[in-house]
Amino acid sequence: MSDLCDLSLAAAAAGLAKGDFTATELTQAHIKAVEGAKALNAFITETSEIAQAQAQASDERRSAGKSLGPIDGIPIAVKDLFCTKGVLTTAGSHILDGFTPPYESTVTENLFAAGAVMLGKTNLDEFAMGSSNMSSFYGPVKNPWKGKDSKDLVPGGSSGGSAAAVAGRFALGAIGTDTGGSIRQPASFCGIVGMKPTYGRCSRWGIVAFASSLDQAGPFARNVEDTTLMLGAMTGFDPKDSTSAPMDAPDYGSGLRDGVKGLKVGIPKEYTMDGMPPEIDALWKQGIDWLTAAGAECIDVSLPHTKYALPVYYIVAPAEASSNLARYDGVRYGLRVNGDTLDDMYEATRGEGFGDEVRRRVLIGTYVLSAGYYDAYYIKAQQVRTLIAGDFKQAFEKVDVLLTPTTPSAAFAIGEKMDDPVAMYLNDVFTVPASLAGLPAISVPAGLDKGGLPLGLHLIAKPFDEVTLFRAAQALEDAAGFDARPELLSSSFETPASRVPQDEGN
Ligand code: GLN
């Protein structure tokens, strides 16, 4: 691995500004690292030609004396759920075969306007439904960390390719989406920082929709400061998204050096789970001690409706998904499987184009929205969602942020939990409540389990108070001093034989 790939994003930006290396050199080092990490299957489409052109343009801007932001010339990875103009966009699904959007998502457009360099489109669970990356049509992603007996592990999901790219040091930052935990859970599994902003901060325009009232884009990076720099280049009001918040983005890193003296941190007593490994509880207690030692006041709080969050999410999200995915009918996008009649064509296309998990969600969603069940399931779930949001509102009258574990376990082996959807859904137990309430939240790598695998701590803040969220996250990062690394990539991973050939798409 080149030293350039081991820099933080902020250090790389400083190096570019000082002229220690060019964006082209930085990008070439990362393209080489992407090549070396092929066995992880983190990318669906590599876009090295685009990356080189963007890097060259950045170098030209710099030599022309333009004043450049911190992302200019920085190689990043983009989850393949963001539409990218002229570049294959698959959402990890067979049904979007060959779909090349004629438009750019607002978030990627913002990043490119800030000078970001796109290394490629990363692998994900199909339509972002999953917690392991196992549901991708393009095959599973391997976590750069290895399990006991050198077992291959999942990187988490759904943004598993993005998390693996940052943890494996073949991208300085990445973007993902988080509907119920899809940034925070893979960040925790891969030992990096992953953050979901307040619903409405990032435009959803041009992001393939999963559950529209929950979907939010957000950044991955290897430390908190880098995460603020990524987010700063992503957010802002967008008239093309009716749920985009009509407000200016703050300087997300403005509180990083303020410390947490006097900050009130809520510890919600409902965030424990039967059968949770004792290390997770121990790490949570350690987090409380760290923040207390740094001058924060940790206070017990109650979020009484927490236990309903997972069932509510698994009604609301599939309901919205079943409606959003109705558009994939063989007429307008991607795959078409012909049939004798129009109905036959719809059925054949959707039958062949969607994988098992997506089909399961469409069936659940259609069921909970159907006459006779709508009131009992969908309406009830929406009512309970309001109660969950109310719990947070009350807690935030007393505290500034909440501290919880990110996930109830460390990364598990590829193939595990595949025959038990409920076991898979339990991955999201700590991340889903903040999603239902639209709150900003972050996972910070904080320790290792007894098998040497990373574990994250999770902070949740008030709506649009990302500055305080990052401030508390920085205190955790400083105290944890997490510097463990995944095993070196190339030698220890074999390229999967079943790998689906790549579409260059550009
Ligand atoms: N794992 C959750 C699910 O399967 C969350 C996914 C996400 O946030 N996109 O729905």
Side-chain angles (χ1 to χ4, degrees):
M1 179 185 60
S2 153
D3 290 349
L4 292 179
C5 299
D6 208 21
L7 294 171
S8 68
L9 193 157
L16 288 170
K18 276 201 289 175
D20 292 347
F21 43 83
T22 63
T24 300
E25 285 163 348
L26 185 65
T27 299
Q28 266 158 2
H30 280 88
I31 291 172
K32 208 164 151 227
V34 168
E35 285 290 308
K38 268 201 195 305
L40 297 187
N41 200 24
F43 286 92
I44 292 174
T45 305
E46 291 166 18
T47 56
S48 50
E49 282 167 31
I50 293 176
Q52 275 162 354
Q54 287 172 326
Q56 197 186 332
S58 173
D59 285 332
E60 283 164 11
R61 280 192 295 277
R62 203 173 293 277
S63 39
K66 300 231 165 82
S67 105
L68 304 179
I71 296 288
D72 213 299
I74 297 292
I76 62 161
V78 172
K79 185 180 188 179
D80 203 16
L81 199 66
F82 291 84
C83 287
T84 40
K85 191 172 175 179
V87 178
L88 181 72
T89 298
T90 69
S93 182
H94 184 29
I95 210 158
L96 277 174
D97 273 4
F99 172 57
T100 305
Y103 44 80
E104 190 70 48
S105 84
T106 298
V107 166
T108 45
E109 191 167 272
N110 290 346
L111 282 162
F112 296 152
V117 167
M118 179 170 74
L119 293 164
K121 306 287 299 287
T122 56
N123 203 344
L124 68 157
D125 279 300
E126 186 177 3
F127 283 104
M129 297 173 191
S131 307
S132 65
N133 233 289
M134 293 297 293
S135 74
S136 170
F137 176 70
Y138 294 89
V141 174
K142 291 180 187 175
N143 194 321
W145 296 77
K146 284 257 195 178
K148 252 212 303 248
D149 307 325
S150 274
K151 265 216 180 103
D152 284 331
L153 304 175
V154 302
S158 62
S159 316
S162 287
V166 174
R169 287 164 173 71
F170 44 103
L172 288 175
I175 57 172
T177 60
D178 188 311
T179 302
S182 276
I183 292 175
R184 293 162 285 157
Q185 186 253 15
S188 179
F189 277 18
C190 292
I192 59 170
V193 179
M195 190 265 179
K196 178 194 95 73
T198 310
Y199 183 80
R201 268 285 190 221
C202 280
S203 169
R204 291 182 299 108
W205 198 84
I207 300 175
V208 175
F210 163 12
S212 306
S213 76
L214 295 155
D215 297 343
Q216 256 302 286
F220 290 98
R222 291 194 289 266
N223 66 42
V224 173
E225 183 188 12
D226 290 358
T227 310
T228 67
L229 300 175
M230 285 289 295
L231 186 65
M234 296 167 67
T235 59
F237 173 62
D238 179 11
K240 289 191 284 198
D241 171 5
S242 62
T243 60
S244 170
M247 50 169 70
D248 289 335
D251 172 0
Y252 293 111
S254 57
L256 292 187
R257 309 280 160 248
D258 291 354
V260 288
K261 221 180 178 88
L263 200 77
K264 292 202 166 76
V265 181
I267 312 300
K269 66 172 197 261
E270 291 81 4
Y271 278 59
T272 53
M273 226 183 79
D274 286 348
M276 194 162 91
E279 304 132 276
I280 306 256
D281 216 38
L283 185 68
W284 192 15
K285 296 215 167 70
Q286 175 73 74
I288 297 170
D289 290 346
W290 282 332
L291 291 178
T292 309
E297 188 189 344
C298 291
I299 301 165
D300 289 335
V301 295
S302 174
L303 302 168
H305 299 93
T306 299
K307 65 172 181 285
Y308 303 116
L310 207 58
V312 164
Y313 172 84
Y314 278 98
I315 290 172
V316 172
E320 294 184 18
S322 70
S323 161
N324 274 326
L325 270 55
R327 73 192 72 179
Y328 306 107
D329 54 8
V331 177
R332 285 161 293 189
Y333 308 90
L335 182 75
R336 172 179 298 172
V337 181
N338 285 322
D340 290 342
T341 65
L342 185 64
D343 280 350
D344 288 345
M345 189 278 285
Y346 290 155
E347 270 180 34
T349 301
R350 288 170 67 85
E352 193 174 315
F354 289 142
D356 288 348
E357 185 58 30
V358 173
R359 262 187 268 190
R360 180 179 293 124
R361 307 274 179 124
V362 169
L363 285 173
I364 295 171
T366 308
Y367 180 83
V368 300
L369 289 174
S370 54
Y373 299 103
Y374 183 80
D375 290 352
Y377 292 102
Y378 184 70
I379 294 289
K380 183 61 83 190
Q382 293 289 23
Q383 288 166 336
V384 180
R385 182 178 185 178
T386 304
L387 296 175
I388 291 166
D391 285 355
F392 281 110
K393 207 160 178 231
Q394 265 187 346
F396 282 129
E397 281 167 16
K398 286 189 275 181
V399 299
D400 303 298
V401 292
L402 295 161
L403 174 72
T404 81
T406 310
T407 54
S409 76
F412 46 89
I414 286 185
E416 248 178 63
K417 303 185 202 279
M418 288 307 286
D419 47 3
D420 184 355
V422 175
M424 191 64 92
Y425 298 168
L426 278 170
N427 272 286
D428 310 322
V429 68
F430 301 141
T431 49
V432 144
S435 302
L436 290 167
L439 300 170
I442 190 166
S443 179
V444 179
L448 299 173
D449 77 348
K450 62 176 185 312
L453 295 176
L455 295 170
L457 282 173
H458 184 224
L459 290 159
I460 308 169
K462 295 175 191 170
F464 301 105
D465 195 9
E466 284 86 356
V467 170
T468 305
L469 183 76
F470 284 124
R471 189 179 143 205
Q474 182 66 56
L476 276 183
E477 178 174 286
D478 290 343
F482 183 91
D483 57 3
R485 288 157 168 270
E487 288 176 42
L488 277 183
L489 303 172
S490 39
S491 53
S492 50
F493 289 92
E494 277 168 36
T495 305
S498 61
R499 196 179 147 71
V500 177
Q502 299 224 339
D503 226 314
E504 245 300 305
N506 55 39

